[in-house]
Amino acid sequence: MGFFRSALLGTATIQAVTGHVLSTFDASDRLIARQAVANGSWPLGPFSTKDRDIVNARGETVQWAGVNWPGSGETMVPEGVEWSSVEDILDLVQSVGFNFIRLTYAIEMVDHIYERNGSDVPLEDAMITALGFENGTKVTKQIIDKNKGWTKDTGRFEVWDRIAEAALERGMYIHPDVHVGKAQWCCNNTDGNAWFDDYNFPVKNWHRGLQYVAEWAKKHPNVVSMSLRNELRRAINTTAPTSTTGYNWLTFVGNFTAATDAIYSVNPDILITWSGLQYDQDLSALTSGKNLNIAPLYKGDAIRDGYRRDPVVFDLGSHPWADKVVYELHLYSMSENLDTGNCPIIEAELYHSGFNALGISPPAACNITKDCPEAVRQTPVILSEFGSAQDVSLFNDTLQGCLRQFTIQHNVSWSMWSLAGSYRIRSGGQGVPDTWALTNYEWNGWRFPQGIEKWWKPWAKASLS
């Protein structure tokens, strides 16, 4: 089966699902996209999984290539909209050839709605609370000036509506990602967001927030997927762990199963991504069918009587949502326990960590690592975060080159970190620049234009064409 592509690759032309050949994506093309949605031509949901692939309602394979758009900071409004309108930001994203945005958020955003008896937090309140009166008022005015129709009373989810609608007009998917419980910069082992029922991770609120977003997604046909939780990791603030609360595979699978049940009960159509352990680097126990009582886990809490217990193996196929789960993994150069300096070893590590679920052959360096079991079930796996400095070093970065090669060779969907050239507030500082970002500080162009032209556009084109 040939790949079904919905990305519009800059000046390259592809045959859209409507039969209309597109070059640049202008206003008339957006009208065509809206008509395509109306007549059922795009995005052809609901989506599901079939073996290693994500497929649309026609059974056609869907591939994603895109970027993370941070929105989980203290204001809980996606970054950059004070510098450029939603539409202008999405035009930048679309010009690279991306068709996918992983939109990060905090569960606290939904908690506030429940605290306010169902009323969302207005823009001005959100900005002043996070930035103080002077800066909050200033940034609110900038946001309203840049985004026609918004006022100081526009709610956070109204901002999301605008993003989803504008993305739909451009043939792009929005994927809400639970980055944190309490809004803040992510991540470390002591931030309270690390593990289930950590002090900023109350499970009850997490389920409630997931269900709220799953309901919201029903309004937007291009929101075909959502995540469970970003970068689970060992919490270093908790009391002595037990076999049901400790940092181990049993606790992970039990909590993710319950959370998936919660989403599925309100929106059985949406895809749900399961992230890995150790900062989303490891899903090996699931994909390789290991006994969850004794499966290895970096810095995991041992189940002392695990060898005496009956084996427990995760069986995705036994759940009613078996064809709705997609696995996601991350990899950064600062990994504590993985070698990111040698491409053959990186490929073997990726295979072991969960990409074996794609049904691909073990990489050659598995002869060195000696730990590349075949998967027990084919399941889609995406690379939903990775990144590095956006400067000339990008072209000689071993890890980035290896990830690019791996995703193209094996048709892996991906989203890089990140879009945000500047943050309203990050780790206590305001107006913080980011040298790892695609956009410049003012969100009106690129930080490293050469990288866009010679790295990201060719990569997106190779992934989606």
Side-chain angles (χ1 to χ4, degrees):
M1 179 186 300
F3 283 104
F4 172 83
R5 312 295 188 187
S6 61
L8 305 171
L9 305 174
T11 57
T13 59
I14 61 172
Q15 186 72 27
V17 294
T18 58
H20 180 70
V21 178
L22 303 177
S23 52
T24 57
F25 203 62
D26 57 19
S28 63
D29 296 322
R30 286 194 285 275
L31 175 60
I32 292 167
R34 288 195 295 270
Q35 292 170 340
V37 172
N39 66 25
S41 297
W42 194 86
L44 289 170
F47 285 13
S48 58
T49 68
K50 182 178 181 182
D51 298 326
R52 58 148 288 156
D53 294 321
I54 296 168
V55 297
N56 62 24
R58 290 179 179 169
E60 298 162 322
T61 300
V62 178
Q63 193 96 352
W64 294 327
V67 65
N68 283 263
W69 188 349
S72 47
E74 285 84 343
T75 67
M76 288 168 268
V77 172
E79 303 290 343
V81 291
E82 65 269 44
W83 294 103
S84 292
S85 70
V86 164
E87 290 77 13
D88 285 346
I89 291 171
L90 289 176
D91 282 343
L92 275 177
V93 174
Q94 186 272 325
S95 73
V96 185
F98 293 151
N99 70 341
F100 179 85
I101 291 176
R102 185 172 180 252
L103 185 66
T104 76
Y105 72 99
I107 290 294
E108 186 180 6
M109 186 168 77
V110 178
D111 292 342
H112 284 173
I113 292 174
Y114 279 89
E115 292 166 5
R116 295 164 57 91
N117 297 316
S119 174
D120 202 354
V121 174
L123 273 174
E124 188 172 60
D125 289 8
M127 296 302 143
I128 291 175
T129 300
L131 306 177
F133 181 81
E134 182 178 354
N135 285 349
T137 303
K138 174 184 175 182
V139 171
T140 301
K141 184 178 185 305
Q142 291 172 329
I143 292 174
I144 293 169
D145 288 345
K146 289 294 182 182
N147 292 274
K148 184 179 179 181
W150 288 1
T151 73
K152 64 183 180 62
D153 297 318
T154 297
R156 289 167 173 158
F157 274 95
E158 290 181 276
V159 174
W160 274 32
D161 288 336
R162 177 80 160 264
I163 290 171
E165 290 161 3
L168 179 65
E169 292 182 344
R170 290 157 177 78
M172 300 167 66
Y173 301 98
I174 298 295
H175 173 88
D177 168 73
V178 181
H179 225 57
V180 286
K182 180 176 176 56
Q184 59 184 283
W185 178 248
C186 180
C187 305
N188 60 60
N189 299 88
T190 61
D191 62 7
N193 287 296
W195 194 241
F196 310 103
D197 280 327
D198 203 351
Y199 65 88
N200 285 325
F201 192 167
V203 166
K204 182 178 179 181
N205 290 37
W206 175 50
H207 287 180
R208 182 179 68 180
L210 290 171
Q211 289 185 313
Y212 189 95
V213 171
E215 285 282 2
W216 170 85
K218 292 179 181 178
K219 299 190 296 181
H220 301 287
N222 55 330
V223 183
V224 298
S225 60
M226 62 183 289
S227 81
L228 287 181
R229 194 76 183 197
N230 180 67
E231 296 195 350
L232 292 162
R233 53 208 179 271
R234 183 180 179 84
I236 311 180
N237 307 296
T238 56
T239 57
T242 69
S243 61
T244 57
T245 64
Y247 180 60
N248 56 53
W249 291 106
L250 276 180
T251 305
F252 166 67
V253 168
N255 277 280
F256 263 28
T257 296
T260 306
D261 285 339
I263 293 172
Y264 191 76
S265 69
V266 300
N267 188 346
D269 289 336
I270 200 163
L271 296 176
I272 303 165
T273 59
W274 282 40
S275 60
L277 301 185
Q278 180 51 19
Y279 292 89
D280 203 0
Q281 293 179 164
D282 191 2
L283 282 166
S284 59
L286 278 60
T287 63
S288 300
K290 296 178 180 178
N291 179 358
L292 303 182
N293 292 311
I294 58 174
L297 174 62
Y298 181 70
K299 292 189 175 181
D301 293 319
I303 298 174
R304 294 176 61 192
D305 62 347
Y307 285 99
R308 289 184 280 126
R309 296 184 177 193
D310 291 335
V312 177
V313 176
F314 176 64
D315 179 12
L316 176 58
S318 68
H319 295 278
W321 30 259
D323 65 347
K324 295 296 180 180
V325 168
V326 173
Y327 294 138
E328 61 173 313
L329 290 168
H330 299 172
L331 188 57
Y332 287 100
S333 60
M334 56 281 232
S335 171
E336 294 178 8
N337 61 313
L338 297 176
D339 183 351
T340 61
N342 176 276
C343 193
I345 298 297
I346 291 168
E347 291 182 347
E349 290 172 335
L350 290 171
Y351 182 91
H352 164 266
S353 297
F355 280 99
N356 57 346
L358 296 179
I360 61 179
S361 298
C366 286
N367 292 331
I368 299 172
T369 63
K370 305 295 184 183
D371 192 12
C372 292
E374 291 186 4
V376 294
R377 173 191 174 96
Q378 287 194 22
T379 308
V381 189
I382 68 174
L383 184 68
S384 58
E385 260 193 55
F386 61 94
S388 66
Q390 295 304 297
D391 55 34
V392 69
S393 67
L394 176 66
F395 301 123
N396 297 311
D397 187 302
T398 297
L399 176 58
Q400 304 313 307
C402 184
L403 294 176
R404 174 173 162 161
Q405 172 182 301
F406 186 85
T407 58
I408 293 172
Q409 179 181 356
H410 299 297
N411 296 312
V412 174
S413 291
W414 51 270
S415 58
M416 66 83 64
W417 185 271
S418 83
L419 187 62
S422 58
Y423 290 82
R424 292 178 207 107
I425 182 169
R426 173 172 158 175
S427 301
Q430 295 194 26
V432 179
D434 191 346
T435 58
W436 282 33
L438 291 186
T439 64
N440 59 22
Y441 188 93
E442 295 82 11
W443 287 72
N444 59 8
W446 304 119
R447 172 173 294 276
F448 181 47
Q450 187 181 11
I452 295 293
E453 294 300 323
K454 295 186 177 181
W455 189 263
W456 296 110
K457 284 186 177 181
W459 189 352
K461 183 176 181 179
S463 295
L464 298 174
S465 59

